[in-house]
Amino acid sequence: MRFDGIRPDSVTVMGLVQFTKSLNLVKAIHSFGIRIEVDFDVSVANTFISGYAKSGDLDSAEAVFDGIGNYFRTLVSWNSMISGHSNFERCFDGCRLYRKILLDDFKPDSSTVVTCQLAFIIGYAEKGNMDEAMLIFHSMEENGQKPDLVTVISDNVMVCNALMDMYAKCGSIFDAERQFYNIPEKTVVSWTSMIHACAHAGLLDQGWEFFNMMTKEYSITHGIDHYSCVADLLGRKGKLKEAFEHILNMPTKPDADIWGKLLAACKIHRDAKIGEYAAHRFFELEPHVSAPYVEMANLYASVESGMTLRK
């Protein structure tokens, strides 16, 4: 371009930044922009904020943002910073910036509001506070704002896993599955979350499909959590014998959590025989925990009540 006598301008610089996620390249383009004296342009600065944020360098993004100055910042400047924080592990900082917008007399647009709400959802999900995350999720849906979390946080595997669980609890297994397939590098927790989502939704066939897919297509060894999810899924569907056999055929020793889930399923479906076995195994592993005793008492009461009703 320069060999042809064409001088790069602000449009050139912005175009280069928008098409890269390489931090080193963003820094090089930034240096180049300073040399050709286009860095003072607020549109260029906004592009650098977004470029640094996408590359994971929020400190540099904030440095550019602070360098613009209060009088020259635009709503795009604020949106870029909030969006950048919502993509990484500083989600609540994005919400802090939202409050600062209001103090600086900026009127946030719909994009700002939605981005901030997504930041809250991600922040709560990271901290394991799914109740608060779901509260915001539902409020967005009620206001006609379909939260497109897949495109916003697809690079944050930990949050994606938490959000799959959230989607499942919201009854949206389609969104949970879409979230799963958009994770670029799935972890063992990703598979666990997806199987758990199927269990929560009562989707037996899909749960088995993901369970088998782990080893057959991805050569991932099943962990105890995956066996636990499948046992939970079978138990929820009332397939107690299959759940029992699934647990007995595990290559590792079942833990108290698995026996507890089977016991809970036996209480719901009134199977005292398998329930007693599960309770005894639970007692052996956790002799000081009172929960299985309560479950067995409820199971016996449930079975006795059922027999009375049949009479």
Side-chain angles (χ1 to χ4, degrees), residues 38-311:
V38 298
D39 57 306
F40 63 87
D41 186 322
V42 68
S43 295
V44 175
N46 291 340
T47 303
F48 281 126
I49 292 171
S50 179
Y52 278 122
K54 284 191 300 183
S55 304
D57 188 350
L58 292 179
D59 291 333
S60 293
E62 286 184 356
V64 177
F65 178 79
D66 293 338
I68 297 175
N70 289 338
Y71 292 105
F72 299 101
R73 287 178 191 146
T74 66
L75 195 55
V76 175
S77 311
W78 289 99
N79 287 352
S80 297
M81 279 303 300
I82 293 173
S83 178
H85 281 85
S86 71
N87 278 293
F88 293 91
E89 297 178 359
R90 292 160 60 175
C91 306
F92 289 108
D93 286 341
C95 299
R96 173 183 55 78
L97 287 169
Y98 177 75
R99 290 193 291 270
K100 200 167 185 294
I101 286 181
L102 302 178
L103 292 174
D104 286 358
D105 293 327
F106 273 90
K107 185 178 181 181
D109 59 9
S110 59
S111 175
T112 314
V113 175
V114 171
T115 300
C116 194
Q117 288 174 316
L118 291 174
F120 267 123
I121 290 177
I122 295 164
Y124 283 127
E126 283 185 329
K127 293 180 181 297
N129 193 341
M130 299 309 298
D131 289 337
E132 292 292 339
M134 284 192 288
L135 186 64
I136 299 173
F137 179 90
H138 286 311
S139 69
M140 292 181 73
E141 288 194 318
E142 288 171 2
N143 292 325
Q145 300 164 334
K146 179 64 174 177
D148 189 10
L149 299 173
V150 170
T151 58
V152 175
I153 44 77
S154 60
D155 291 333
N156 192 324
V157 177
M158 181 179 69
V159 178
C160 285
N161 294 337
L163 288 171
M164 275 193 287
D165 183 61
M166 185 193 74
Y167 277 128
K169 289 178 179 177
C170 292
S172 183
I173 189 67
F174 171 78
D175 286 322
E177 188 172 353
R178 188 168 70 107
Q179 186 77 61
F180 175 80
Y181 282 116
N182 276 275
I183 298 176
E185 295 184 12
K186 299 172 183 61
T187 65
V188 172
V189 177
S190 305
W191 289 96
T192 307
S193 299
M194 194 61 234
I195 297 171
H196 175 73
C198 293
H200 189 87
L203 300 175
L204 179 58
D205 291 340
Q206 289 90 329
W208 269 118
E209 181 182 347
F210 283 108
F211 183 80
N212 292 324
M213 194 188 302
M214 286 181 65
T215 53
K216 292 181 179 178
E217 295 186 25
Y218 291 87
S219 300
I220 300 174
T221 302
H222 293 131
I224 194 166
D225 287 340
H226 305 117
Y227 283 99
S228 179
C229 286
V230 172
D232 183 38
L233 176 54
L234 289 166
R236 285 171 183 258
K237 298 294 286 185
K239 296 183 177 295
L240 301 177
K241 184 178 179 181
E242 290 89 338
F244 183 56
E245 291 175 351
H246 171 74
I247 294 171
L248 293 180
N249 290 325
M250 286 175 54
T252 57
K253 185 179 179 180
D255 61 8
D257 179 65
I258 291 180
W259 290 119
K261 287 178 178 176
L262 181 60
L263 176 56
C266 288
K267 184 190 74 172
I268 294 171
H269 299 287
R270 299 177 178 178
D271 191 319
K273 185 177 180 180
I274 295 179
E276 285 177 351
Y277 186 92
H280 285 306
R281 299 288 80 77
F282 195 118
F283 295 150
E284 290 175 355
L285 296 168
E286 300 284 350
H288 302 297
V289 176
S290 62
Y293 295 94
V294 176
E295 290 281 31
M296 278 307 300
N298 291 332
L299 172 56
Y300 287 136
S302 176
V303 172
E304 185 177 342
S305 173
M307 292 175 64
T308 303
L309 288 174
R310 283 195 292 273
K311 290 178 181 179

